[in-house]
Amino acid sequence: MGLTDQVASQELNVTKFFNNRPIAPAQWMILCVCFLVMILDGFHTGAMAFVAPALIADLAIPHLALGTILSAALVGLTVGTFAAGPLADRFGRRRILIYSVLICSIGSLLTTRITGASTLIACRFLTGLGIGAAMPNCTTLASEFIPARRRELLLNMMFCGFPLGASTSGFFTAWIVPHYGWRGVFLTGGVLPIFLAAFLFRMPESISFMVVRKYPVEKIRAALSMIAGADKQANALIASAARFVASEAAIPRAKSPLQVILSRRYLLGTVMLWLAYFMGLVLYYLLTSWMPTLIRDAGYSVSRAATASALFPLGGGLGAVLCGWLMGRTNATRVVSGAYLLTAILLVVLARSTGNITSLMFMTLLSGIAMNGAQSSMPVLAATFYPTFGRASGVAWMLAMGRIGGIIGAFGGGVLLNAGYSLRQIISSLSAAALISALAMFCKDFGSRQSDSQFLPEIHPEVPVKHV
């Protein structure tokens, strides 16, 4: 349906509206705000580890209690991620994202007032709750404002904000602790989200969500006008529309979002996404948490162990952008499957390179590029796999399953070390985790093609919004 036909029928397909126009300044602003939220998430995720030495010295917190404090944030992350999706699919992406950012702010500000380990545990859980709920809603909200032709690349670039925020928290902590103490880190981390929440409050809700949820026409028209800006042709198109529709997969309206992602049509893809992301974070957290110790135990100095370990996440940005670029030009699921498969091969080579520090560093960097590229692309795959009605739940529950894998990976390294496994043996075994992720993505791709064939009559019906 062309623009002229849409005007004549007084019906506007919002999916085609976004896909057929250049990206407007308002859409870039939404993407930038989501990028800043990702930086904030990374900042808070890494902050506690960086302030731990100052915290221990100030409050005399024993190391055992510190482990519980660090785990509290991970538990909060998991709970927040599980809850965020269904809430966002019911009440809206923007609203839940604002609440998530404010919860993170409250948790961080309360941390500046703590005097002991028990209250710190509660504050870290609250902060983690906000962080966990923010990430899936950022992904969902941004994906529904970006044209399909550029979605994979731009979303992967947005995800680069998380490692950027994590590294920024380290540099910021090194500067601020000598001047204002460890509380200054959390004061800053608590104030900044308030400004982000103010920006989010002025942003429109997801147009696709409003259409599918049958919002009044005037609300949808006002949100679309914010996106159109000064574009006269687009504003004329919006003003003339008597109703709005979306190209959307047919979903029985009686179903809940969780029933949608677990329905017969999406079940195989859902399970494969969960499995791949779970195994990916087992691998990632085990390596990032224990690689310095493993390399040190292999006979290298502390400085070389730290340098070599830092190369694994360093390649994350390059890997994410490269995968996003490839995903926009060919089958996105196969690109991610290939990246996981390449990770498995590189880890085998890495395990055989532990005897030479130069080879070890080089292969660690290459493995990090492949692994981080695949893992950063998973939320993008989930966002494009599910329909609007269940998208936030699909993304959030995949991330939550991954969080569980991350917790297992972080603790699993200690178990393997206590069992006497060497650096080479542990890295070799982790290649199996990457291979499982690659196979899971292959199965998802095959299952999706079979499902599309089976449900072909249901693809792209138009979901109308009644004039209210």
Side-chain angles (χ1 to χ4, degrees):
M1 180 181 291
L3 297 185
T4 305
D5 295 330
Q6 289 194 37
V7 171
S9 65
Q10 293 188 319
E11 176 180 280
L12 178 61
N13 186 311
V14 297
T15 307
K16 295 177 182 178
F17 177 82
F18 281 114
N19 289 339
N20 294 338
R21 297 179 67 249
I23 300 179
Q27 291 167 279
W28 284 116
M29 180 60 69
I30 291 167
L31 187 64
C32 287
V33 172
C34 289
F35 177 73
L36 291 174
V37 174
M38 296 299 294
I39 290 178
L40 180 71
D41 276 11
F43 180 92
H44 279 287
T45 301
M48 181 54 69
F50 290 114
V51 304
L55 193 71
I56 292 171
D58 185 30
L59 301 178
I61 294 177
H63 286 87
L64 183 61
L66 181 63
T68 306
I69 291 166
L70 293 172
S71 299
L74 289 175
V75 174
L77 276 166
T78 306
V79 173
T81 308
F82 269 120
L87 289 173
D89 278 329
R90 180 175 180 181
F91 298 109
R93 290 80 162 98
R94 185 188 66 117
R95 181 185 299 183
I96 302 302
L97 183 55
I98 291 172
Y99 290 154
S100 303
V101 170
L102 290 177
I103 289 172
C104 179
S105 173
I106 293 169
S108 187
L109 290 174
L110 289 176
T111 303
T112 65
R113 310 298 299 171
I114 61 98
T115 56
S118 58
T119 50
L120 183 55
I121 290 170
C123 289
R124 289 306 294 166
F125 175 83
L126 186 63
T127 305
L129 199 67
I131 297 170
M135 183 180 286
N137 279 298
C138 264
T139 306
T140 306
L141 183 66
S143 72
E144 291 174 349
F145 275 107
I146 298 173
R149 65 185 181 277
R150 302 183 67 179
R151 186 172 294 140
E152 290 84 359
L153 176 60
L154 291 179
L155 286 181
N156 273 22
M157 291 178 68
M158 184 191 79
F159 268 94
C160 294
F162 188 86
L164 177 62
S167 61
T168 299
S169 68
F171 293 117
F172 182 75
T173 299
W175 173 78
I176 202 171
V177 168
H179 297 90
Y180 301 101
W182 63 267
R183 296 179 195 270
V185 176
F186 294 104
L187 178 63
T188 305
V191 171
L192 292 178
I194 297 174
F195 292 100
L196 280 178
F199 275 110
L200 288 166
F201 188 78
R202 297 178 64 85
M203 286 167 44
E205 178 56 87
S206 162
I207 311 294
S208 300
F209 174 81
M210 294 170 72
V211 168
V212 172
R213 279 293 188 176
K214 302 184 185 300
Y215 274 51
V217 163
E218 291 307 318
K219 286 190 176 182
I220 299 175
R221 182 177 289 119
L224 280 171
S225 297
M226 290 179 64
I227 300 300
D231 188 329
K232 293 182 180 180
Q233 183 183 13
N235 278 305
L237 196 64
I238 295 166
S240 67
R243 68 174 192 151
F244 298 94
V245 299
S247 298
E248 186 63 67
I251 299 296
R253 300 304 298 149
K255 287 189 174 183
S256 71
L258 291 179
Q259 286 177 313
V260 170
I261 69 173
L262 296 174
S263 64
R264 186 163 63 95
R265 178 172 185 175
Y266 295 101
L267 181 59
L268 177 62
T270 294
V271 173
M272 292 301 102
L273 285 167
W274 289 359
L275 177 60
Y277 203 67
F278 176 91
M279 298 306 297
L281 283 193
V282 167
L283 191 164
Y284 181 85
Y285 274 92
L286 196 153
L287 275 183
T288 54
S289 300
W290 293 99
M291 200 169 183
T293 303
L294 289 167
I295 296 175
R296 178 69 183 90
D297 290 350
Y300 296 105
S301 66
V302 173
S303 61
R304 286 193 167 185
T307 303
S309 302
L311 291 172
F312 187 78
L314 181 65
L318 177 59
V321 172
L322 181 59
C323 275
W325 182 80
L326 290 171
M327 289 166 71
R329 284 158 174 76
T330 184
N331 185 299
T333 305
R334 293 178 189 174
V335 170
V336 178
S337 180
Y340 276 125
L341 179 60
L342 181 59
T343 301
I345 295 170
L346 289 171
L347 287 175
V348 172
V349 179
L350 174 60
R352 297 177 178 273
S353 306
T354 55
N356 182 283
I357 189 62
T358 303
S359 299
L360 176 63
M361 289 182 174
F362 181 66
M363 294 311 304
T364 298
L365 177 62
L366 292 181
S367 300
I369 291 173
M371 176 62 208
N372 285 284
Q375 204 67 10
S376 297
S377 302
M378 289 293 291
V380 182
L381 272 188
T384 55
F385 176 63
Y386 295 108
T388 301
F389 185 62
R391 183 171 293 124
S393 296
V395 174
W397 277 51
M398 185 199 73
L399 291 174
M401 293 299 175
R403 301 287 189 196
I404 296 172
I407 294 171
I408 292 173
F411 283 102
V415 174
L416 293 174
L417 278 174
N418 287 335
Y421 287 93
S422 67
L423 173 63
R424 173 176 291 191
Q425 290 172 321
I426 291 175
I427 293 177
S428 295
S429 65
L430 287 176
S431 66
L435 183 60
I436 290 172
S437 293
L439 292 173
M441 288 296 92
F442 176 82
C443 291
K444 175 192 173 295
D445 179 54
F446 178 79
S448 295
R449 284 186 279 116
Q450 296 295 111
S451 178
D452 285 347
S453 175
Q454 181 179 358
F455 292 94
L456 189 58
E458 297 184 14
I459 294 177
H460 300 313
E462 297 190 322
V463 181
V465 177
K466 296 179 180 178
H467 188 65
V468 179

